[in-house]
């Protein structure tokens, strides 16, 4: 029985916060491996700044290549249409019936989980790991878990330290100012963005 972490996201683009999130959860939750799953069309986002699935998938593959226990799955992109986590976890549980799945979320994602489609199915298939995005998030995460998610059957591990304060939005907005983002993004991912002229306004 292995312990497999799953991180879903738009990864538009993938940044060091995502990688550190995986490293931190792998260590704290003794995960054997972590799978990054870029969404197809996310149900909650408009398409405005979203680059193609192929680009987002390529950038994820570039960012994880030096980490032996990390991989990228195109399961949501292959499925097409809106990506619902309950469907993804149902498929993964069929592929890995004997393993424990940990669905890893940053604070913002975690705090909306009760509004996702079929949350009970999500909670039946996976343990939820939540990681603060700011140092003030922890209390709120815990309160929300106790008052809301537990009633829906969720089992959650709430970790108490933020990893790195960065978002893809910040990277997209500052793509022309490399000195601002250089510690937040993999150098090869940055070069891919420049080469393909992504996120230029
Ligand atoms: P955007 O600004 O476009 O929303 P993002 O940085 O939030 O991008 P997503 O692809 O939306 O990245 O996030 C994927 C998952 O990673 C989510 O669960 C999100 O909460 C989490 N996450 C992203 N950045 C961080 C971070 N710096 N610390 C902790 N969790 C993070
Ligand atoms: Mg986000």
């Amino acid at each position: 029985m292995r312990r497999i972490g799953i991180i879903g996201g738009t990864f538009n683009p993938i940044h060091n916060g995502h990688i550190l999130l995986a490293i931190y959860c792998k260590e704290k939750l003794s995960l054997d491996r972590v799978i990054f799953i870029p969404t197809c069309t996310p149900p909650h986002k408009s398409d405005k700044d979203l680059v193609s699935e192929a680009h987002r998938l390529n950038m994820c593959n570039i960012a994880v290549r030096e980490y032996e226990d990390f991989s990228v799955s195109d399961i949501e992109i292959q499925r097409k249409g809106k990506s619902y986590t309950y469907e993804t976890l149902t498929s993964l549980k069929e592929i890995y019936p004997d393993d424990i799945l940990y669905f890893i979320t940053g604070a913002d994602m975690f705090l909306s989980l009760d509004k996702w489609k079929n949350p009970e199915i999500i909670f039946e298939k996976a343990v939820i790991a939540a990681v603060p995005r700011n140092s003030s998030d922890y209390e709120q995460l815990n309160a929300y878990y106790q008052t809301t998610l537990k009633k829906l059957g969720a089992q959650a591990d709430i970790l108490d330290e933020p990893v790195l304060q960065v978002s893809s939005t910040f990277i997209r907005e500052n793509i022309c100012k490399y000195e601002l983002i250089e510690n937040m993004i993999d150098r090869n991912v940055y070069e891919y963005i420049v080469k393909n002229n992504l996120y230029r306004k």
Side-chain angles (χ1 to χ4, degrees):
M1 192 172 65
R2 291 168 307 174
R3 298 154 73 87
I4 304 178
I6 313 289
I7 305 186
T10 38
F11 302 116
N12 184 41
I14 190 165
H15 54 63
N16 292 348
H18 297 126
I19 297 294
L20 289 170
L21 180 65
I23 292 173
Y24 180 52
C25 288
K26 180 172 183 286
E27 188 185 303
K28 291 277 176 188
L29 304 170
S30 309
L31 305 178
D32 296 288
R33 52 182 291 210
V34 178
I35 308 174
F36 292 77
I37 308 189
T39 53
C40 189
T41 309
H44 62 286
K45 280 196 181 172
S46 72
D47 279 356
K48 204 164 111 300
D49 289 332
L50 194 60
V51 304
S52 73
E53 289 150 8
H55 280 318
R56 292 183 291 114
L57 193 61
N58 289 341
M59 290 189 281
C60 286
N61 277 313
I62 292 170
V64 306
R65 70 185 170 204
E66 66 186 87
Y67 300 93
E68 214 184 321
D69 301 322
F70 296 175
S71 59
V72 182
S73 163
D74 63 357
I75 183 172
E76 294 197 347
I77 290 172
Q78 290 298 338
R79 202 167 62 227
K80 307 257 189 326
K82 289 192 170 181
S83 298
Y84 287 110
T85 296
Y86 84 91
E87 288 185 327
T88 304
L89 292 176
T90 300
S91 304
L92 291 174
K93 200 65 201 170
E94 279 163 20
I95 302 171
Y96 306 109
D98 300 324
D99 297 330
I100 305 179
L101 303 183
Y102 282 82
F103 183 64
I104 299 169
T105 59
D108 55 317
M109 286 269 207
F110 182 76
L111 291 171
S112 68
L113 275 177
D114 64 308
K115 315 244 164 33
W116 290 24
K117 195 161 179 193
N118 296 333
E120 328 69 44
I121 301 184
I122 295 177
F123 304 146
E124 179 197 311
K125 307 287 177 192
V127 178
I128 311 300
V131 176
R133 290 190 75 153
N134 300 298
S135 41
S136 59
D137 283 342
Y138 178 77
E139 296 302 325
Q140 196 190 355
L141 294 176
N142 210 24
Y144 171 77
Y145 173 49
Q146 299 297 341
T147 57
T148 310
L149 289 195
K150 252 190 180 170
K151 291 183 188 131
L152 296 168
Q155 198 192 323
D157 266 313
I158 300 171
L159 306 184
D160 52 7
E161 281 171 57
V163 286
L164 175 71
Q165 275 196 42
V166 55
S167 66
S168 300
T169 304
F170 185 83
I171 303 279
R172 291 193 300 274
E173 284 172 354
N174 292 288
I175 206 66
C176 296
K177 301 176 200 138
Y178 183 63
E179 66 287 359
L180 268 188
I181 58 170
E182 80 173 297
N183 296 324
M184 301 176 179
I185 188 162
D186 180 291
R187 174 81 210 177
N188 295 312
V189 172
Y190 176 74
E191 280 170 8
Y192 181 96
I193 291 171
V194 171
K195 195 168 126 221
N196 289 283
N197 211 17
L198 309 181
Y199 309 120
R200 305 268 157 183
K201 303 268 186 241

